[in-house]
Amino acid sequence: MKHAGEHAVHDDDKDVRGRRHRRGGGWVLLPGVALAAGLVATACFPPGGPGGPRPPVAQVARVVHLNQVQVVGSHNSYHVEAPPLEAAIRESVDPAGQRSLEYGHLPLPEQFATQNVRQIELDVFADPDGGLYADPLIRAAVGEPPYDQPAMSEPGIKVLHIQDIDYHTTCLTFVACLEGVKAWSDANPGHLPIAVLVELKDTPIVIPGVDLPFVVPPPFDAARMDELDAEIRSVFPARQLITPDDVRGRHATLEEAVLRQGWPTLARAKGKVMFLMDNGGSYRQTYLEGHPSLRGRVLFTNAEPGDADAAFVKRNDPVGAANQAEITDLVRRGYVVRTRADADTEQARTGDTTMRDAALASGAQWVSTDYPAPGIAARFGTEYYVAIPGGTVARCNPVNAPRFCFDRALERLG
């Protein structure tokens, strides 16, 4: 079937995943494909856009893919500002460092519900015997007793920013954070996939001229990375996860899968959670050991184009023509990208939207901020915040979304 003014579509121009077909300067998606049965498409929608016809909401979810959407994320999503006495101590030692830490977030479920956040970031520390982070030095310095929380004395991965110095968090343990995500997800099964960026932290604190017994975090070796995967799977059943194995399918490598086949459609991805590794370098290599192309793993690694495990790419700086063009190219090719709209409270203090606007225009699927709602930066005398243009939870990706996609069809909760 063809619409007036369109050419017939040949069989080699379509496949069972709704491949786009080039016609007259625009992309026309073929959403009549029966994804499960692999049937031949029998219809196509004319391009949408302002004033154009729109397909049914359910049809949009069946043909728009996970990587064809853009959402806002929160940076260090668990972070709570230190109380005044602790902040004053940090200010006396490192004024610039303290300045960069003057931000905080709502509990994770509230970010999802009230701030349209759909990507979060958690910093994790190994605590194999328990108690390692139960009595932070700066807490003791202001006369506060150790944590009166059983979870801090028990073995298990903890969530905080900097051991002994910046430890306040809305959820003390990795499992507790994930349980908050799962509770909201279960109550809102139509949500867009939530991406959880995980930074593995094990770096000792070194302050020249300061000799204090700072906690030395245990290193994240392969065994502890196995424990990280296990803690995730202890909260989320397989049906609620998007893993590298799910995306790779029968392809030889993960990169081949995302570049040739693409990512799951929203119909397959809604209500699910996926995990991304913030670290690169030796952390990535260790996580890959015994798991070529991430076979059997939970996290998508922060890889580079050309790597067998390349699917997620981190590009934190979108400013400048070259940086923005690189992100846009990565998105067009099929990778998913996380970038940042602000850093170290600087944009919130000045009101400068250059980085934010570049991040949104780049097409990066996840644009991370410390200010995902109006009013948070008012303390600095500015109106700075980051949101999807138009006020929706998500928008059709400005770089690679099909033309008939429309923003309000992307997420329907309930």
Side-chain angles (χ1 to χ4, degrees), residues 19-31:
R19 182 170 296 169
R20 294 170 296 176
H21 178 63
R22 188 80 181 194
R23 287 297 184 208
W27 289 105
V28 177
L29 208 66
L30 307 176

Side-chain angles (χ1 to χ4, degrees), residues 16 23 55 137 143 156 202:
V16 297
R23 287 297 184 208
L137 284 179
D202 56 13

Side-chain angles (χ1 to χ4, degrees), residues 201-244:
K201 289 199 164 181
D202 56 13
T203 304
I205 295 174
V206 177
I207 303 176
V210 175
D211 184 18
L212 289 172
F214 293 115
V215 167
V216 178
F220 267 99
D221 55 18
R224 293 198 173 98
M225 291 181 182
D226 290 344
E227 292 170 8
L228 181 76
D229 281 3
E231 288 202 6
I232 294 171
R233 293 190 187 277
S234 75
V235 176
F236 293 100
R239 60 177 172 75
Q240 208 167 358
L241 290 172
I242 301 170
T243 66

Side-chain angles (χ1 to χ4, degrees), residues 170-191:
T170 61
C171 42
L172 297 173
T173 69
F174 190 46
V175 166
C177 292
L178 299 187
E179 287 175 341
V181 176
K182 188 176 189 303
W184 186 86
S185 176
D186 289 347
N188 298 274
H191 70 79

Side-chain angles (χ1 to χ4, degrees), residues 86-137:
E86 292 182 16
I89 292 175
R90 296 193 311 216
E91 176 80 21
S92 67
V93 176
D94 182 6
Q98 167 56 27
R99 175 186 171 101
S100 72
L101 297 175
E102 291 176 349
Y103 67 92
H105 289 292
L106 296 174
L108 301 177
E110 293 181 40
Q111 293 182 47
F112 303 142
T114 68
Q115 297 178 333
N116 290 345
V117 166
R118 292 296 180 269
Q119 180 259 311
I120 60 173
E121 178 182 355
L122 302 175
D123 292 342
V124 298
F125 290 75
D127 189 10
D129 300 317
L132 199 55
Y133 309 100
D135 190 15
L137 284 179

Side-chain angles (χ1 to χ4, degrees), residues 24 31 34 54 79 125 131 141 149 156 160 229 252 311 391 396 399 407:
R54 288 177 171 175
H79 190 259
F125 290 75
Q149 296 285 345
L160 60 145
D229 281 3
C396 303
V399 169
D407 298 347

